[in-house]
Amino acid sequence: MGFHHVAQPGLKLLTSSNPPASASQSVGITGMSHCTRPTSMLNIILRKPLVLEGIDLGPCTSKWTADYLSQVGGKRKVKIHVAAVAQMDFISKNFVYRTLPFDQLVQRAAEEKHKEFFISEDEKYYLRSLGEDPRKDVADIRKQFPLLEGDIKFPEFFKEEQFFSSVFRISSPGLQLWTHYDVMDNFLIQVTGKKRVVLFSPRDAQYLYLKGTKSEVLNIDNPDLAKYPLFSKARRYECSLEAGDVLFIPALWFHNVISEEFGVGVNIFWKHLPSECYDKTDTYGNKDPTAASRAAQILDRALKTLAELPEEYRDFYARRMVVHIQDKAYSKNSE
């Protein structure tokens, strides 16, 4: 894939705030001087989220209308998420899976109300493209939808051997995805439509009430602080994406995506770490690095051993373990 020259893309830095207690709160975005080479931009990024404007993405931003996609995608069967509510929850699985012809999905997702529906007339549709056989193949829009390959140019800010997947995403207006993190760096390309993206630093993980890679807190704009009191401590980074914008999301940064209107996006994931750090059986790209998985298993065994002690001793030695982990493993660098 290699590096190439980019003609003066615009850059926007995200600024942060604490999450609003009862209402949505936008966060200002500061401007930044233009830069002409991707290597310089990645030096500027320093592994922080960043919106890039003016990148040459090809004709997709003007061509990928609902009618065009329906025609090109045709009757190809795709597996989708269908929810009766706007806030999708991957922990409780408040959605159902359906298989639809691609053209039917696009038309349904573009509708505000549905004459024919599975759950309700307000149901939301979400496509995350998969490989031909998800157990063996990673997603790549160029392979699953070859007639669209010539319409889109991937930002070439990484080497070909680092490329992992390109995921095609189609969302109904108003759809909100759960807060989660990915283990690889990625570009979220907003091809058409508008999205609002809220991000949280990896260092605020202890405030997000995690189950695996996902947060229990669905309503991030009006959180239940009686149920999730620590959530108020998490710093919130926010940006709005217009058609043609590209958001760099570093690995481990939590993100929550709200589709403000019908839209099409593409996620490009690549391996920031050496390949041997990742689970070779992971075709979705969402398993923790192998060393992290081993460490979690060791911790589980340690906690089972502590359970053999009376409560007073268990509490004392658990606290000592926490201090030891903080001293040995926490980064000393400030954000």
Side-chain angles (χ1 to χ4, degrees):
M1 191 170 287
F3 292 109
H4 76 300
H5 186 81
V6 177
Q8 302 233 347
L11 305 179
K12 296 191 291 187
L13 286 177
L14 287 72
T15 56
S16 65
S17 75
N18 290 108
S22 61
S24 177
Q25 175 180 328
S26 296
V27 179
I29 298 179
T30 60
M32 189 170 182
S33 61
H34 289 177
C35 180
T36 58
R37 290 197 63 82
T39 49
S40 299
M41 282 189 283
L42 289 181
N43 287 335
I44 293 172
I45 287 172
L46 294 177
R47 311 208 49 71
K48 299 292 178 65
L50 188 69
V51 178
L52 296 91
E53 298 175 314
I55 299 293
D56 180 11
L57 299 173
C60 58
T61 54
S62 58
K63 289 181 68 173
W64 285 11
T65 63
D67 289 340
Y68 175 79
L69 291 175
S70 297
Q71 179 182 358
V72 173
K75 299 298 181 182
R76 173 194 176 91
K77 298 289 186 179
V78 290
K79 191 174 183 179
I80 60 172
H81 304 67
V82 184
V85 295
Q87 292 174 336
M88 297 185 74
D89 182 1
F90 206 83
I91 296 175
S92 69
K93 298 291 197 299
N94 65 345
F95 52 84
V96 297
Y97 292 102
R98 289 288 185 267
T99 299
L100 286 178
F102 184 81
D103 58 351
Q104 187 177 344
L105 158 69
V106 173
Q107 295 302 324
R108 281 176 174 260
E111 295 173 345
E112 291 286 348
K113 297 285 185 180
H114 309 291
K115 296 179 181 178
E116 297 181 4
F117 46 83
F118 299 111
I119 304 173
S120 75
E121 65 178 356
D122 298 315
E123 64 196 18
K124 304 297 182 184
Y125 293 82
Y126 172 60
L127 166 72
R128 178 195 187 277
S129 65
L130 305 173
E132 294 294 340
D133 183 349
R135 296 167 298 178
K136 301 177 182 178
D137 305 321
V138 299
D140 189 343
I141 188 175
R142 298 169 297 185
K143 296 178 180 179
Q144 278 88 58
F145 300 90
L147 294 179
L148 297 177
E149 180 179 3
D151 294 343
I152 185 168
K153 296 180 181 180
F154 292 172
E156 298 180 347
F157 294 0
F158 50 91
K159 297 178 181 178
E160 176 64 32
E161 58 266 27
Q162 292 178 285
F163 173 83
F164 179 75
S165 67
S166 57
V167 181
F168 198 18
R169 301 185 189 272
I170 296 178
S171 325
S172 294
L175 179 72
Q176 181 173 6
L177 298 183
W178 51 91
T179 302
H180 67 283
Y181 71 87
D182 299 302
V183 299
M184 297 183 189
D185 287 354
N186 84 86
F187 283 127
L188 170 54
I189 302 172
Q190 189 62 28
V191 180
T192 67
K194 297 179 181 179
K195 282 190 175 76
R196 179 166 63 93
V197 185
V198 178
L199 305 100
F200 301 93
S201 167
R203 293 194 178 184
D204 286 344
Q206 67 267 36
Y207 307 135
L208 298 180
Y209 297 87
L210 298 179
K211 285 193 174 179
T213 63
K214 307 160 191 72
S215 171
E216 293 183 21
V217 185
L218 292 182
N219 192 342
I220 59 171
D221 292 326
N222 189 18
D224 183 350
L225 295 181
K227 186 176 181 180
Y228 305 114
L230 295 179
F231 186 72
S232 63
K233 296 184 178 182
R235 284 172 295 173
R236 169 191 180 105
Y237 299 73
E238 183 170 326
C239 67
S240 295
L241 298 181
E242 306 280 344
D245 287 347
V246 179
L247 173 62
F248 171 63
I249 307 176
L252 309 183
W253 274 78
F254 297 89
H255 44 286
N256 183 291
V257 181
I258 304 99
S259 296
E260 297 186 328
E261 56 189 30
F262 168 74
V264 178
V266 177
N267 273 108
I268 311 297
F269 292 90
W270 68 92
K271 297 177 180 179
H272 169 68
L273 303 176
S275 293
E276 59 269 21
C277 295
Y278 300 98
D279 188 326
K280 291 180 174 58
T281 67
D282 183 15
T283 57
Y284 290 95
N286 57 10
K287 291 184 179 180
D288 289 317
T290 52
S293 297
R294 291 199 308 271
Q297 293 169 0
I298 294 169
L299 177 60
D300 285 340
R301 291 197 295 270
L303 293 175
K304 288 180 181 179
T305 304
L306 278 183
E308 299 173 8
L309 294 170
E311 180 179 1
E312 179 183 2
Y313 284 78
R314 183 173 66 246
D315 179 88
F316 173 73
Y317 286 105
R319 292 176 187 275
R320 281 193 58 186
M321 288 174 62
V322 170
V323 172
H324 189 60
I325 291 173
Q326 289 176 332
D327 181 56
K328 295 297 183 180
Y330 277 26
S331 172
K332 300 300 189 293
N333 296 324
S334 60
E335 288 189 350

